[in-house]
Amino acid sequence: MIMLIRRLALFFAMIFGVIGAQFPEYAQQYRQRLGGAIDELNTIIARFDQDTAQAGLSEPEGISRLQHNPDVFVQGRGDQMREIVARRDKLQRQAQVYADSGNIKRVWELATQADPYIAWRAYETFEPAVPVTTEGIISAVIGFVVGWGLIRLLGWPIERHHRRRQRMRTLPESGFAA
C-alpha cells in the first residue's frame, strides 16, 4: 500500500510539474497578445493623429473638439477616442511592468494585473508547451513539489494506518493490546 501511495505521489507530482510549467507559457502567450493589442491601438491613434494634424490640431484638441460637438454621434466618437488612448496607455504601462519584472514575478504580475479581455482571448487560443526558460523550470519544480506534497499529505493517514497494522502484527502475543 505504501508503495502505491509513493507511485501515485510521483505520478501526480509529474502532472503538477507539467501544469506548473504552463503558467509561464500562458504568460508568454498573453504578452504576445498584449503587444498585438498595443500595436493595433497605436495604428488607430496614429491615423487619428494624422487626421487631427491635417486640421491643425493636437490629439487632445481633436478629442476635445469631437466631445464638444453638438452632434451626439460625433461626441460618442470623441469619447471612444479618449477611451482608446487611455486603454493604449494602460496596456503600455502593463507591458513595461512585464518587461521590467524578473522571471517568476512576470507570472505574478499577470495574475494580478492582466487585462481581462486579453487574458480571456489568450486562454481561448492557449497552446500548452513546456518552456525551458528559467521561470518554466522553476514553475515546473514548484508544481512537482506541490503535487508530491499534496498526494503524500492525502496518503499520510493511510500510510500511518498501514504502518500501525504492521507493528501490531509484529508485536509478541502477550495478551496486551498496544
Side-chain angles (χ1 to χ4, degrees), residues 122-137:
Y123 173 74
E124 285 182 328
T125 60
F126 177 70
E127 293 184 12
V130 179
V132 291
T133 61
T134 303
E135 62 189 333
I137 292 169

Side-chain angles (χ1 to χ4, degrees), residues 33-66:
R33 280 196 167 268
L34 179 65
I38 291 168
D39 289 345
E40 187 60 28
L41 293 172
N42 279 332
T43 299
I44 294 167
I45 293 167
R47 175 69 190 264
F48 180 78
D49 289 348
Q50 203 175 39
D51 293 343
T52 56
Q54 287 176 353
L57 302 170
S58 67
E59 181 182 288
E61 290 170 335
I63 292 172
S64 179
R65 183 177 284 184
L66 290 173

